[in-house]
Every structure is written in C-alpha cells, then in structure tokens.
Amino acid sequence: VLALRSALGEGVKENARRRLREVDVGDRFSRLPLPRAAVLLPLMVRGGRLHLLLTVRALQLRRSPGEVCFPGGKSEADDKDEIDTALREAKEEVGLQPEKVEVICRLVPGIDKMNHLVTPVVGFIEDTFQAAPNPDEVSEVFVVPLEYFIKPLNYKALSYKTSSGYLTRMHCFIYDDQEHRKSFKIWGLTAHFAVFLALVVFGERPTFEVDYDLDNLVLSSENNFINLYASIYERKKSNL
C-alpha cells in the first residue's frame, strides 16, 4: 500500500511540476521599480492529493495580525532573488530548511496594500514536514487541499477597489479545518495566488467567477497584473 501511495504521489507531483514549469515567469518582473517581497507556496502530497501549507500571522504583529498568509516577507539586501527571499522567510517563520524545498517556479507577481511587488515562489515539501512556528511571527500552521481553491464549500467574492481606483474581485474562502477544529478565512492576495496555482495545476473551470480568460490563463494573468501595475504607477507619477 505504501509503495502504491508513493507512486501515486509521484504521479501527482510530476503532473503539477510539468504544468507549473510551463508558467514560470522567472525574473521577468523583478526589475519593476517597486519594493520587493516574496512568498513561498509550499505544496505537499497527502493521501494522493496536493495540499497547500498556510500560516496565520501572530496577533501582536502591526500589519494584518491574525490573517492567513503564506510564509514570506520583504526582500533583504543579501537575498540573491525572490526565491532566496521566500526560502529565508519560510525558514524564519516555520522552520522549513531551504534544502528541503524543491523549487518549481515563480508565478506572476501581485501588489500588496503597501505597494510591494510580491512574487509567489512554488515549491514541493515533504508531507512529513513538521512546522516549528516562530511565535513572534506565526500563531498557527495548517494545510488545505489545493482543489479547495477551485471547488470550495464556502466561498464569497468581495468587490474591491484598489487605492488607485482599479476595481477588482477579491476571493474569500472559509475553510473548516478538521485537524484544528476551527475555520480559517483565506482572502486577499493569499487567496489570489492560491486560486491561480490551482487553476494552473488542475486546468479545470472553478465553481466561481474569476478575472481570467481560462483558455489563455497565463496571458490574461499577466495582462491583469500589468493593468494593476499601470494604475499604481500612474498614481505615483501624479503624486510627484
């Protein structure tokens, strides 16, 4: 049974690897003149299904306390690139050793409330990984089946206007975690990255509306990003 399960797990991983490598943006957006940050989207296989590891920000943090997010944070001078940033932050926040991550790709970035350019880095981790959360930064760690981000049981869309007046749709998922016996709210940029990751990996239509042309997922996600970036940049120019 174990051998079969591990073979199944490898097949699931291989399929995801192939699809994700096709959408790798590399450092194409890295030179944009915005402060940089990166997050790690840690994928693991449990029971033959892909799962995504998420964290809850500590309550004493100034910014977004108690919110669900991926391990990550701002780039530091010593970081070679966004991959370095994401791996360093994951080690600091949940005790994940960089050599235990099989980095697959970088996805189209997002822009957070503070106008940081946030690059999602996708990597596989072992299903046996035991998180050691740093209590100064992380209060909880949990996993969600990746499929939940295209076939959720509890979902709502929030319409959201960016500070520059750009109207967009924000996904909000409520996930009932049996292990922790509680519900987690996953929304904002974290939900945005999780949805895109699930769309790429599964190639299926989600049960809710998304702002992508699903037949041209990568192109439309890049166009969305460019529009968002342009709206922020216009505002920056007009502030000068």
Side-chain angles (χ1 to χ4, degrees), residues 119-153:
T119 299
V121 175
V122 184
F124 275 115
I125 64 173
E126 290 299 325
D127 63 332
T128 51
F129 169 65
Q130 292 291 322
N134 171 353
D136 295 336
E137 300 194 42
V138 172
S139 63
E140 286 178 279
V141 178
F142 64 105
V143 298
V144 180
L146 183 60
E147 203 176 27
Y148 198 80
F149 296 105
I150 52 168
K151 295 177 181 170
L153 297 173

Side-chain angles (χ1 to χ4, degrees), residues 174-194:
I174 307 294
Y175 178 66
D176 294 325
D177 187 304
Q178 302 304 314
E179 202 181 329
H180 291 81
R181 301 206 168 167
K182 64 190 294 190
S183 296
F184 294 103
K185 177 184 174 186
I186 306 160
W187 63 297
L189 204 50
T190 303
H192 169 80
F193 289 151

Side-chain angles (χ1 to χ4, degrees), residues 196-211:
F196 185 71
L197 179 65
L199 289 171
V200 169
V201 168
F202 296 116
E204 289 177 33
R205 294 198 166 266
T207 56
F208 50 89
E209 292 287 314
V210 288
D211 295 324

Side-chain angles (χ1 to χ4, degrees), residues 217-228:
L217 185 58
V218 176
L219 190 63
S220 66
S221 80
E222 290 185 3
N223 287 340
N224 290 356
F225 170 75
I226 289 161
N227 291 338
L228 174 63

